[in-house]
Amino acid sequence: MTALLIRNGRVIDPASGRDETADVAVATSAAGGKVIEIGPSLSTTGVSRIIDAKGLIVAPGLIDPHVHLREPGQEDKETIASGSQAAVAGGFTAVCCMPNTTPALDCPELVRFVYDRARQTACRVYPIGAGTVGRKGEAITEIALMHEAGAVGFSDDGDVIASAGMMSRVLTEVAQVGSVFMQHCQEPTLTRGAVMHAGRVSTRFGLTGWPRVAEEVIIERDIRLNKGIGCRYHVQHLSSAGSVEIVRCARAEGQPVSAEASPHHLLLTDEAIDQDGVPNALAKVNPPIRERSDVDAVRAGVADGTITILATDHAPHTASEKARPIESAPFGLIGLEGALGLYAKALIEPGLIDWPRLIALLTVNPAALCGLDKHGLGRIAIGGPADLTLIDPDCAWTLDEAALAGKSCNTPFLGWSLGVRAVVTIVNGRVLHAVDAQLASAPG
Ligand code: DOR
């Protein structure tokens, strides 16, 4: 039986090249919700729910390959359940959670723990396993066993793997299982005590600066190390113009290198730290937001295909921690709920890319990065999972606290006016988020 009919939307599926006005029919069974038909004017007979998608984009469910869900260990900031609520509120149907939890996700048991918790949650949650035990950079983890348990990538995110010897071993092991290594590119001796980008604003405040080269030397090093290994290597939250250029050259040489950009690195400069002469810890993030020329270069990197993935780096922290003086406040900001509107502001509104490209950066590309395409995610296909995001490309809304579904609200984007929003999120055939009740009605 057709459980759900989404009518008259602009169906964009970059994986197949589809971009047309059509209906999408979804059926549900014990095995979950599946797309059963795509086409014009599908029959409404026997349909239990119709969504009028006129004027909306119907996209594959959005995928965020880089979030922090804080469980186990810091459940006051976020849990796997609350983070997945934030995800569906932002239009995401699948997220990959980073291993910098307490304890770190560094063994098969903890990979299984995430899957166990994720069974009760809104969106699909996939764990990224740590490359080194406790993310300390000293001993390699059981990468093959973690991969078998379901880790969809490896990273010590939050920290770099500083030792070149250890990095080589990790790249070799990850290559052997055919997975991806996602590097947090931060040379630690260049960033000791650093709070924000090294530039005019850090000088103004007398704060220790974080130079671009701290990111760039790690990317250069890893690409060189990886030449004889051939692991899929992914640069997380790229922040500097130089980093974009390094990745561009490596890709031009045909190396297996990819990179992601985050909303804040696409939109904010280090001036966001200066709130009427007082340093604003809400804009403190690792790697730091930099200067206009870097923002422009990251955007250009997306536009020319150097950066193929968008990722929020959703990093919840408590209000009291973020209220500390900037030197001792933690790095990070939340991102899931506002991400789509922010990506559109940075990339669609200035005309840098079109809708099919934006959707590819959020669906088919991250699915391939983390092997989620094997489960049929990242595309709209007959017989495939009914993970769908309906996007209003022309609306006016404000990212305010009421729009936040997660546990934390640490973002400098609160109060921003946005023109694009995920209005319906469907995971496995179930409507888990709908902004406007009118959109999801019974047939009448
Ligand atoms: O700003 C950040 N916060 N960057 C990271 O890499 C880690 C994250 C966190 O876990 O808070």
Side-chain angles (χ1 to χ4, degrees), residues 66 68 70 74 77 98 100 135 157-159 184 186 236-237 264 284-287 313-317 322 330-333 410:
H66 185 162
H68 298 271
R70 306 297 189 215
Q74 291 189 302
K77 299 183 181 200
M98 290 296 146
N100 63 336
R135 298 170 47 258
D157 181 46
D159 288 299
H184 172 105
Q186 177 189 355
Q236 297 186 301
H237 40 46
H264 40 285
K284 179 181 178 184
V285 63
N286 172 352
D313 190 11
H314 178 79
H317 292 291
K322 277 297 206 181
F331 290 94
L333 43 106
N410 52 300

Side-chain angles (χ1 to χ4, degrees), residues 293-304:
S293 53
D294 299 288
V295 170
D296 289 343
V298 175
R299 289 183 181 195
V302 174
D304 73 10

